[in-house]
Every structure is written in C-alpha cells, then in structure tokens.
C-alpha cells in the first residue's frame, strides 16, 4: 500500500493590485484644493495646447508636402536622343550613378534630361533592364518593381528613397518615343529629408512652447487659486480659532457677491447665531440658578428648624409647625412650577416640522383655559366672546400659552375685576383691568425670568410669557402685550394665529 500523497499547501491569494488610475485618484484627493485647481488648470491648458500644436503640425506638414508635389511638375514626357544608351546608363541605379560620375569626371561635360535644381530625374526602360540618370546627377532613385506596372497614359506618386537612403517623393510617368509608343518610365523625385527635418524642428518648437505653456498655466493657476481661495483660508482660520478657543461669534469680512461671499455671509450668520444661543443658554442657566436659590434657601431653613427641634427634644408649637409645613408645601409647588417652565423652555426654538402638530380647536382651548382661570380667581368676572377657529399646532403647548395669559390677567386684576376674553377670526385677546405695564418695561415682558420690579412680591417665575411667545411662534403666529386698546386701565395680550373658522 503506497503512502498517501502529501497535502498541497493552499494557494497563495494575493491582494488585488491597485491600478494606476486608483493611485492617481487617491493622490489627487489627498492634495490641497489650490493644488488641485492648479493641476486642473494646467491639464486643461495642456490639452488645449496639445490640440493646437497637433493641428498646426498637420497643417504645416500638408502644406509643405503640397509644395513638394507642386515642384515635381509634370515630369519628363520626351526622351532626348541617345539618352538610353548614354554614359549614365546601367542595369541598376547605383551603377548608372557611378557611370555618370565617371563620365562627368572624364569629359567635364553634362547631358541633363531637364528638371529643376530641387528635382532628380531618372529613366527606366520598359523592360526594367536599363536605368539612366543625367550626367550631372548626384543621386539615383531606387526603382520599385511596381513602377513598371503603371498603365500607359497614367501618372502616380509614391514615397521612395534615394540609393543613399534619403527619403524622397517620387512621381512616375510613362515616356513615349517619336512614334508615340511607350518606351519607358520617367521617375521624378524631390527630396523630403529637408521637409522631415523642418517638421521635426517644428515639433520640437511646439513641444517646448507647450511645455512652457503648461508650466506657466500651472504657476498662474496656483496664483489664481491662492487669490480666489483666500476667503476660504480666512474662513478656515476662523473655524480653527473657534474650535481651539470656543469663542463663537467671530466673523470674517465679506466682499463681493459670489459664492465665496455667500459662504462667508452664511458662516457669519451661523457664528452670530451660535454666539446668541450661547448667550441665551448662559443667561438661562444664571437666571434659573438665581430663581431656584430663593425657594431652596427657604426650604433648607425650614427643614433645619424641624431637624433642630427634633434633635433638641423641644417640639415646635403646633401652629408654628403647621405654618412651616404650609410654607414648605408652597415652596415645593413653586419649585415644581419653575421646573416645569424650565422643561417647557428647554425645547429647541425651532422644533422639527410636523412634531406634535395637528388641527386643534382654538376656541375649545380658550374655553378650557377660562374654566381653570375661574378656579384661580373665584371673585373675578370673565367676559367671553369666542367664535370657532381651527389652527395647526401643538394643542398642549397652545393650551399652556392661553392658560399663562389668563393666569397673568388673574394675578394683576383687582378684587371683583373683569377679565375680557375674545376670539374672532384667529385674533385672541385677553384683557385685565389691573395696573397695566409701564411703557419702558414692554420690551422685556417676553424675556425669560424677567419680572417687573413692582410685581416681584407676587408668586411666579418670570417664565410664563416666555412660554407664550415660544408656543405661539412654533404655531406660526404672533403675540404682543401692551396697554388696553380703549385707553382704559389694565393690559391687553393679543395672539394672532393662522387658521380657518371651520375644521379642515
């Protein structure tokens, strides 16, 4: 029995290699914004210059080769006498050129076939066995066997070479004898090496110009990006300063009306709003601490008295003990009311759209609030004139707002006074006949924890009207508080809420 074959190791799994495109994308995303703008500018200019350079090169190339073709002319159409059997003839172009050179050296004479200084002419017999060049020839044309297949009466052009390897443009035409019979072909060639050298020089010049243009575009793009992104740099510095020092409210100068200016303006608005929010938060905490200190101090004093009485074994008189317990209960109620108001005000100034919003009957809310107000002011007269009105809002918050307005009216109404409550077409008014509000204090009535100096001895936390203002604003309405419209005594609160007289 043969031993088992050894187990093969598991194949190595190599992680996929990152492509060049992915690497370039990661490199691009890792560059600063000004570098990316400069790179994009340089790339755009490079593409434009490359397209322009290529277009220019191809146009010049076409034009130069057109000039060469024009210079070729119509070639040779007649064989001079004795041309085929001359001293410049042989079986190959190389031998014909050598013979012509020897004959010219020996005789010092020449028998040109014609043509210009920029052309070279060569004759080939119809059978291709004899090649003749002028006696003053300096170059010979390489014969292509396909040249002899040209149909009589036709001409053709092709790219060819000289025997020394230089490139040339060759024109092929049939030659005819005196009787009009085809006797051979004439090859007329123009050198294209100068054209190619000129095109190479042009390509080099265009390449250098393109390179300089790309470098210049990159530098210019970086300068422009630095200038254009300076507001962004300023904004970044301010944001980093705020993150480092937590000094909200810092702004940056704004100039112009472009996208950067709009961004700067929005940032300034946000920074100012954050500073105002922090100020309100700080003021709320400070005011809450101040308002909580008084009932807590009173509670602590009363509790200390009860503990001391119990520890010393000297019980307090029943009337004093009852009074202390009553005061503690009242202080606990005041704390409960204050904490409830604080929770109400702790909600965001702009609640989420649709949060606890429904169609509510404002006239029913006003009716329930009046019933509760009658319990708190049994000696007061409530005059009602309420018409149906339906609004979109938070029913509990709106009822709390109306109750606060009525509590405020009950608190400041004289004994036996009247409280007028009217609701018509979304306009709710609550008027008392109390002392009213001094003109110089009207601007503070909706501030949190603000209380008139003349009413500090009355119970309350100074948060009721703040809750009214916030609840009405959340429902899309407006609220105001001022003297009575008829000029009589007392104050009048006005709430305007959008809605309809019938349920939607």
């Amino acid at each position: 029995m043969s031993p088992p074959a050894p187990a093969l190791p598991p194949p190595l799994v190599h992680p996929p290699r990152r492509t060049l495109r992915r690497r370039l994308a990661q490199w691009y995303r890792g560059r600063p914004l000004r570098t990316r703008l400069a790179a994009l500018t340089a790339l755009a200019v490079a593409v434009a210059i490359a397209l322009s350079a290529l277009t220019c090169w191809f146009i010049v190339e076409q034009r130069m080769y057109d000039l060469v073709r024009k210079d070729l002319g119509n070639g040779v159409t007649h064989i001079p006498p004795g041309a085929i059997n001359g001293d410049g003839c042989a079986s190959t172009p190389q031998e014909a050129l050598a013979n012509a050179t020897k004959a010219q050296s020996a005789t010092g004479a020449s028998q040109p076939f014609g043509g210009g200084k920029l052309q070279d002419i060569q004759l080939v017999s119809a059978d291709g066995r004899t090649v003749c060049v002028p006696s003053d020839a300096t170059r010979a044309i390489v014969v292509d066997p396909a040249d002899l297949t040209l149909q009589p009466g036709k001409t053709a052009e092709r790219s060819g070479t000289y025997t020394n390897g230089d490139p040339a443009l060759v024109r092929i035409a049939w030659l005819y004898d005196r009787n009009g019979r085809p006797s051979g072909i004439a090859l007329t060639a123009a050198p294209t090496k100068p054209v190619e050298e000129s095109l190479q020089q042009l390509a080099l010049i265009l390449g250098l110009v393109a390179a300089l243009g790309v470098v210049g575009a990159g530098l210019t793009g970086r300068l422009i990006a630095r200038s254009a992104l300076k507001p962004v740099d300023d904004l970044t510095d301010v944001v980093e300063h705020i993150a480092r020092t937590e000094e909200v409210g810092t702004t940056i100068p704004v100039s112009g009306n472009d996208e950067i200016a709009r961004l700067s303006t929005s940032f300034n608005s946000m920074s100012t709003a954050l500073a105002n929010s922090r100020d309100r938060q700080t003021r709320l905490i400070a005011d809450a601490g101040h308002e909580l200190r008084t009932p807590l101090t009173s509670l602590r004093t009363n509790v200390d008295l009860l503990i001391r009485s119990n520890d010393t074994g000297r019980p307090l008189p029943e009337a004093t003990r009852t009074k202390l317990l009553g005061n503690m209960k009242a202080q606990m109620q005041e704390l409960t009311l204050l904490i409830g108001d604080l929770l109400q005000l702790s909600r965001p100034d702009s609640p989420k759209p649709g949060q606890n919003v429904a169609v509510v009957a404002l006239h029913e809310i006003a009716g329930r609030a009046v019933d509760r107000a009658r319990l708190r002011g049994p000696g007061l007269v409530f005059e009602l004139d309420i018409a149906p009105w339906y609004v979109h809002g938070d029913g509990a918050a709106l009822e709390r707002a109306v109750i606060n307005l009525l509590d405020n009216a009950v608190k400041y109404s004289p004994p036996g006074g009247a409280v007028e409550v009217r609701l018509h077409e979304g306009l709710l008014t609550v008027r008392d006949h109390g002392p009213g509000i001094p003109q110089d204090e009207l601007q503070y009535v909706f501030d949190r924890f603000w209380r008139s100096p003349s009413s500090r001895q009355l119970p309350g936390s100074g948060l009721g009207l703040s809750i009214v203002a916030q609840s009405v604003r959340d429902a899309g309405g407006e609220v105001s508080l001022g003297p009575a419209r008829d000029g009589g005594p007392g104050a009048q609160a006005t709430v305007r809420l959008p809605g309809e007289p019938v349920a939607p």
Side-chain angles (χ1 to χ4, degrees):
M1 182 176 180
S2 60
L8 296 176
L12 296 177
V13 179
H14 298 281
R17 296 181 179 179
R18 294 186 298 177
T19 63
L20 179 60
R21 181 179 178 182
R22 185 180 303 174
R23 293 180 180 178
L24 289 176
Q26 290 180 352
W27 175 87
Y28 177 78
R29 288 192 294 266
R31 299 302 95 190
L33 182 58
R34 60 171 52 88
T35 302
R36 283 186 277 173
L37 288 177
L40 289 178
T41 303
L43 179 61
V45 172
V47 172
I49 293 178
L51 293 177
S52 301
L54 288 175
T55 304
C56 176
W57 191 88
F58 281 116
I59 291 176
V60 172
E61 179 198 31
Q62 184 67 30
R63 182 59 179 165
M64 294 183 71
Y65 277 106
D66 287 344
L67 292 176
V68 173
R69 292 186 181 94
K70 184 178 180 181
D71 185 65
L72 284 175
N74 295 321
V76 177
T77 60
H78 177 70
I79 305 174
I84 298 299
N85 297 319
D87 294 332
C89 296
S91 60
T92 63
Q94 292 86 347
E95 294 177 356
L97 179 60
N99 293 339
T101 304
K102 291 179 182 179
Q104 183 178 4
S105 300
T107 62
S110 62
Q111 186 180 1
F113 288 173
K117 294 181 180 180
L118 298 178
Q119 297 181 14
D120 296 285
I121 300 175
Q122 182 172 299
L123 303 180
V124 182
S125 62
D127 56 7
R129 296 179 180 180
T130 305
V131 177
C132 296
V133 298
S135 58
D136 61 347
T138 58
R139 291 172 294 198
I141 308 169
V142 176
V143 180
D144 189 339
D147 296 341
L148 299 174
T149 62
L150 181 67
Q151 295 181 3
K154 301 291 186 179
T155 61
E157 290 181 356
R158 65 176 176 84
S159 297
T161 59
Y162 291 103
T163 56
N164 61 358
D166 291 341
L169 184 64
V170 181
R171 178 182 174 86
I172 311 163
W174 275 100
L175 294 174
Y176 301 89
D177 57 15
R178 292 183 182 276
N179 298 322
R181 293 175 299 184
S183 59
I185 59 173
L187 303 179
T188 307
T192 58
K193 184 176 181 180
V195 175
E196 294 182 357
E197 291 177 349
S198 299
L199 290 176
Q200 291 176 358
Q201 293 177 358
L202 178 62
L204 179 61
I205 293 174
L206 292 177
L208 292 176
V209 172
L212 292 176
V214 172
V215 174
L219 295 177
T220 304
R222 189 169 183 83
L223 292 177
I224 294 175
R226 178 178 299 177
S227 176
L229 295 177
K230 188 177 184 306
V232 179
D233 292 337
D234 296 339
L235 180 61
T236 303
D237 294 338
V238 173
V239 172
E240 291 176 349
H241 172 75
I242 293 176
R244 184 173 58 256
T245 62
E246 298 185 0
E247 294 179 1
V248 294
T250 306
T251 59
I252 58 177
V254 180
S255 59
N257 55 358
D258 54 5
E259 291 78 1
I260 300 297
R262 290 172 53 194
L263 176 63
S264 301
T265 302
S266 300
F267 173 80
N268 290 342
S269 301
M270 180 190 67
S271 181
T272 302
L274 287 175
N276 294 336
S277 177
R278 171 174 284 190
D279 291 341
R280 290 194 300 268
Q281 182 182 16
T282 303
R283 188 165 57 251
L284 174 64
I285 294 174
D287 293 340
H290 176 75
E291 294 295 329
L292 288 171
R293 187 180 298 114
T294 300
L296 287 176
T297 301
S298 180
L299 271 176
R300 184 172 56 190
T301 301
N302 292 336
V303 170
D304 288 342
L305 286 176
L306 291 175
I307 292 176
R308 186 181 305 171
S309 172
N310 185 53
D311 292 342
T312 58
R314 298 169 57 185
L316 295 174
E318 188 62 27
T320 303
R321 181 181 178 86
T322 301
K323 184 178 180 179
L324 284 177
L325 293 176
N327 289 338
M328 293 176 64
K329 182 178 179 180
Q331 291 153 6
M332 290 296 298
Q333 292 176 346
E334 184 177 354
L335 280 175
T336 302
L337 178 62
L338 179 59
I339 292 173
D341 291 342
L342 288 174
L343 290 176
Q344 178 75 12
L345 290 174
S346 65
R347 297 183 308 166
D349 291 339
S350 299
K352 296 180 180 179
Q355 183 178 6
N356 301 326
V357 173
V359 177
V360 295
L362 186 59
H363 54 283
E364 295 179 0
I365 289 177
R368 293 194 298 269
V370 169
D371 293 339
R372 295 182 59 177
R374 284 195 176 101
L375 298 177
R376 301 182 183 184
L380 300 178
V381 178
F382 290 85
E383 300 178 2
L384 305 181
D385 185 8
I386 299 176
W389 192 255
Y390 295 89
V391 300
H392 289 269
D394 187 344
L398 290 176
E399 185 169 350
R400 178 69 179 274
V402 178
I403 290 174
N404 287 351
L405 290 177
L406 290 172
D407 285 346
N408 202 60
V410 170
K411 185 189 303 183
Y412 292 102
S413 294
V419 176
E420 302 173 7
V421 181
R422 291 181 172 81
L423 174 61
H424 287 282
E425 297 182 354
L427 183 64
L428 173 66
T429 59
V430 177
R431 182 201 170 173
D432 62 59
H433 292 76
I437 302 174
Q439 190 69 28
D440 58 344
E441 296 180 1
L442 289 176
Q443 57 182 327
Y444 306 111
V445 293
F446 293 108
D447 291 349
R448 297 174 179 179
F449 295 105
W450 185 87
R451 301 179 67 184
S452 175
S454 60
S455 62
R456 293 191 179 277
Q457 71 278 5
L458 298 176
S461 62
L463 296 175
L465 292 180
S466 297
I467 295 175
V468 172
Q470 178 173 300
S471 300
V472 172
R473 283 197 304 267
D474 292 346
E478 300 175 353
V479 61
S480 61
L481 182 63
R485 297 290 180 86
D486 57 5
Q492 178 173 309
T494 303
V495 175
R496 182 178 295 276
L497 291 170
E500 299 177 1
V502 295

